[in-house]
Amino acid sequence: MNKKTSQQIAFIIFRILGIFVVGILFWILGFIIYNGIGVISWKFLTEPPSEGMTGGGIFPAIVGTLCLIAGSSIVAFPLGILSAIYTSEYAGNGYIIKFIRIMTNNLGGIPSIIFGLFGMSLFVNTLGFGDSILAGSLTLGLLCLPLVIRTTEEALKAIPDSFRTGSLALGASKLQTVNRIILPMAFPNIITGLILSIGRISGETAPILFTVAAYFLPKLPTSIFDQVMALPYHLYVIAVSGTDLEASRPIAYGTALVLIVIVLIMNLMASFLRRKLKKY
Amino acid sequence: MIEAKNVNFYYGNFQALKDISMVMDDHTVTAFIGPSGCGKSTFLRLFNRMNELIANTRLTGECLVNGENIYQKSIDVTELRKKIGMVFQKPNPFPQSIFENVAYGLRVDGVKDKHFIKQRVEESLVSAALWNEVKDKLKKSAFELSGGQQQRLCIARALAISPSIILMDEPASALDPISTSKIEDLIHVLKKDYTIVIVTHNMQQAARVSDKTGFFMLGTLIEYNDTRKMFLNPEKEETQNYITGRFG
């Protein structure tokens, strides 16, 4: 077989695989939109569930998920970004740092239910936060910390060293170099990492199961010590343990659709921010 | 005056510089030539302590600038780097405007006086022979400039903090011949006010711009002499061989 035919065959295989992957994605999306679009209405988005979860809306769950996104972002973003700056800009490449890096990666691979149980034992029980937005946010924050650290490190590493040496050679300190040159350059990519982790946070069910999520709670939270409903857990509840599964099925699809749209909006915001921030 | 006394430098177990001693006078241009990996860039980077950024390196001997050992404890390395500017092989402007690039060194030094910064930026760009080309677009990104202009911007950036010495690490090797000759002209002019040390792969360039030339090979300073003498009548056979292109 000559070069040209083998290349053509390879490309055909790549193309089929590519179409296959994208196809699955569109199929899932289409399936959810097709089944869920019917229940989406202003009422659905702004009212609590009613009639044993077979009617009404999902407003408390939307609010709850947004609270958890905000709470865990506050926990994970500063912590993750700062530790990534430390490990990639300051700490060098010694054995301890290598070990920490491996452990961070391992932490990212731990099943989320373990984070949930850990959060329950530490935040809910030992520290006495109870089932609350605080406990849930801390748990979700820990969960996405490795992802935030990882992506921030990658973003920082992508900046060529010539910018660092250039700045240091002008008498700038390391901190000034990081603040004035490296972080602004890495920012668009850091944002991307943060958005990815928000996607992860908003979809996780296991970590919030024992730390914050309420089965049914039409009242909106008034403090960080309140429980909330959350979209993924609500979806799980009405899909497997509602009072009338058949009747609540469309609501489940609607909930899934809302969850996907929230993640989509986050992504759009991210790419908008990226373009906005990329001045040069 | 820049002076090295019995300098040895190691990357881990590899000895990159072997017992180098030399003196570079004020307001002269000194060129370092030699084959790749001979240690000339490493030697240059000792004088603004850039080698410290590389892990696992070791230095013995003394590096003196105006009689002061720049590796003694009391030396603040950021202050040192303000006095000893550096221009790198590849132009490395920051992703900022042309103006901000030149103002950077002043800003990190804590200068707040806007009028002074503006004046210094203009002076530096004039000194770097770039002012006429950029004066109408100071707010534009530095990345919009050509490679040669970017390198002159980097020189202006180094000049802005009023150093007394400028180290140049192959400043023209990534540039086209016209940009190269502009940089060389600039070196001739800057020599009046600055002490310049330049590493170059290009022997004609060393011959054109420098007063004195040091020839390095395998971490050793083989010969250090007046440039004219070095190129017309070198003392060492290795120098003769290298300059005439018999190896390297």
Side-chain angles (χ1 to χ4, degrees):
Chain A
M1 195 164 27
N2 68 28
K3 274 199 285 198
K4 219 166 166 187
T5 29
S6 62
Q7 165 159 299
Q8 269 167 352
I9 290 170
F11 279 164
I12 288 169
I13 294 172
F14 294 158
R15 201 166 291 142
I16 290 171
L17 291 175
I19 290 169
F20 182 68
V21 170
V22 176
I24 289 178
L25 184 72
F26 274 95
W27 186 40
I28 296 173
L29 269 179
F31 184 72
I32 290 170
I33 292 171
Y34 175 78
N35 287 295
I37 197 83
V39 298
I40 302 288
S41 66
W42 187 242
K43 224 180 113 200
F44 184 73
L45 295 174
T46 56
E47 280 184 11
S50 58
E51 296 143 43
M53 308 248 195
T54 58
I58 53 166
F59 185 56
I62 295 176
V63 172
T65 287
L66 292 179
C67 285
L68 290 173
I69 288 176
S72 45
S73 302
I74 291 170
V75 174
F77 291 178
L79 212 59
I81 293 173
L82 291 179
S83 43
I85 290 173
Y86 178 74
T87 53
S88 87
E89 299 292 326
Y90 285 89
N93 218 355
Y95 288 111
I96 298 174
I97 285 304
K98 275 187 190 141
F99 178 72
I100 290 176
R101 212 162 269 150
I102 292 170
M103 291 319 282
T104 313
N105 284 342
N106 284 345
L107 208 60
I110 291 176
S112 55
I113 185 70
I114 294 177
F115 279 95
L117 291 168
F118 173 78
M120 179 179 71
S121 110
L122 181 65
F123 304 126
V124 176
N125 297 331
T126 310
L127 295 176
F129 297 151
D131 277 0
S132 62
I133 295 178
L134 181 60
S137 298
L138 286 167
T139 311
L140 283 173
L142 285 186
L143 175 85
C144 70
L145 202 51
L147 190 61
V148 174
I149 293 176
R150 203 58 237 211
T151 49
T152 306
E153 273 188 343
E154 294 301 327
L156 293 172
K157 279 209 197 92
I159 311 296
D161 266 343
S162 63
F163 291 105
R164 292 182 184 87
T165 49
S167 168
L168 293 172
L170 289 165
S173 69
K174 219 161 181 180
L175 184 64
Q176 286 174 323
T177 303
V178 169
N179 277 342
R180 289 168 184 255
I181 306 291
I182 307 302
L183 272 186
M185 287 182 82
F187 211 61
N189 284 335
I190 293 177
I191 293 277
T192 311
L194 297 186
I195 298 300
L196 278 176
S197 58
I198 284 183
R200 175 114 199 249
I201 293 166
S202 48
E204 280 293 344
T205 317
I208 56 173
L209 199 55
F210 315 117
T211 56
V212 53
Y215 179 81
F216 175 67
L217 186 70
K219 187 173 78 72
L220 296 182
T222 54
S223 87
I224 55 170
F225 293 104
D226 286 347
Q227 266 192 290
V228 284
M229 296 179 77
L231 288 171
Y233 182 61
H234 185 62
L235 181 58
Y236 167 74
V237 165
I238 51 182
V240 303
S241 66
T243 47
D244 183 349
L245 289 184
E246 274 313 307
S248 57
R249 187 121 311 158
I251 296 179
Y253 283 117
T255 308
L257 184 57
V258 170
L259 188 52
I260 288 173
V261 169
I262 286 179
V263 175
L264 192 70
I265 289 172
M266 294 287 173
N267 277 319
L268 289 177
M269 264 164 55
S271 57
F272 175 74
L273 264 179
R274 270 173 73 108
R275 235 167 300 151
K276 202 92 208 258
L277 291 167
K278 224 172 199 158
K279 273 190 287 182
Y280 296 106
Chain B
M1 194 174 76
I2 311 172
E3 191 175 358
K5 278 187 190 164
N6 306 104
V7 164
N8 290 284
F9 189 81
Y10 305 83
Y11 292 106
N13 291 324
F14 173 71
Q15 184 170 9
L17 296 174
K18 292 169 189 160
D19 195 34
I20 293 178
S21 298
M22 69 191 297
V23 173
M24 288 159 265
D25 293 321
D26 285 347
H27 304 294
T28 58
V29 178
T30 307
F32 296 160
I33 57 170
S36 299
C38 68
K40 56 193 190 299
S41 284
T42 301
F43 186 63
L44 182 79
R45 293 156 75 97
L46 281 180
F47 291 98
N48 64 347
R49 292 177 57 171
M50 276 322 227
N51 287 333
E52 287 181 343
L53 303 175
I54 304 163
N56 207 9
T57 55
R58 195 159 58 85
L59 167 77
T60 67
E62 284 179 28
C63 297
L64 307 162
V65 172
N66 298 326
E68 196 176 25
N69 184 352
I70 58 170
Y71 281 86
Q72 69 194 14
K73 282 235 164 59
S74 60
I75 294 281
D76 176 353
V77 69
T78 59
E79 289 298 317
L80 174 79
R81 287 177 187 152
K82 268 189 286 172
K83 281 183 244 151
I84 304 178
M86 186 162 206
V87 178
F88 297 85
Q89 181 172 7
K90 243 180 86 195
N92 58 350
F94 302 130
Q96 297 172 337
S97 68
I98 293 168
F99 184 92
E100 283 306 319
N101 262 280
V102 185
Y104 184 81
L106 297 168
R107 292 203 195 281
V108 297
D109 196 24
V111 178
K112 293 275 188 294
D113 184 346
K114 283 202 179 105
H115 183 73
F116 175 76
I117 292 178
K118 221 177 136 195
Q119 188 193 335
R120 210 50 219 130
V121 167
E122 179 173 344
E123 285 167 8
S124 310
L125 285 167
V126 169
S127 305
L130 190 61
W131 177 250
N132 286 334
E133 291 159 62
V134 301
K135 62 177 183 231
D136 299 323
K137 48 177 184 178
L138 293 173
K139 293 234 157 60
K140 289 262 173 66
S141 166
F143 290 169
E144 286 177 25
L145 299 174
S146 72
Q149 288 174 323
Q150 287 187 10
Q151 192 63 304
R152 276 178 286 148
L153 180 69
C154 290
I155 293 174
R157 194 171 70 177
L159 297 180
I161 43 176
S162 316
S164 54
I165 298 166
I166 302 171
L167 309 174
M168 296 185 167
D169 192 357
E170 299 184 38
S173 68
L175 304 180
D176 63 85
I178 292 169
S179 304
T180 301
S181 81
K182 280 186 183 161
I183 300 274
E184 290 180 6
D185 292 345
L186 186 54
I187 292 173
H188 274 298
V189 176
L190 291 175
K191 164 173 128 172
K192 281 204 288 289
D193 299 307
Y194 304 90
T195 305
I196 297 173
V197 187
I198 176 172
V199 164
T200 177
H201 264 297
N202 180 332
M203 279 176 285
Q204 286 78 21
Q205 184 170 66
R208 282 192 298 260
V209 302
S210 71
D211 303 303
K212 287 190 141 194
T213 299
F215 170 56
F216 287 76
M217 209 170 77
L218 301 172
T220 312
L221 180 64
I222 302 286
E223 184 169 352
Y224 177 47
N225 230 324
D226 284 344
T227 299
R228 277 186 67 84
K229 173 133 178 33
M230 191 93 159
F231 281 92
L232 292 175
N233 187 19
E235 284 167 7
K236 298 270 167 59
E237 203 190 326
E238 289 105 315
T239 317
Q240 176 78 34
N241 286 344
Y242 184 69
I243 287 169
T244 52
R246 238 168 279 166
F247 84 99

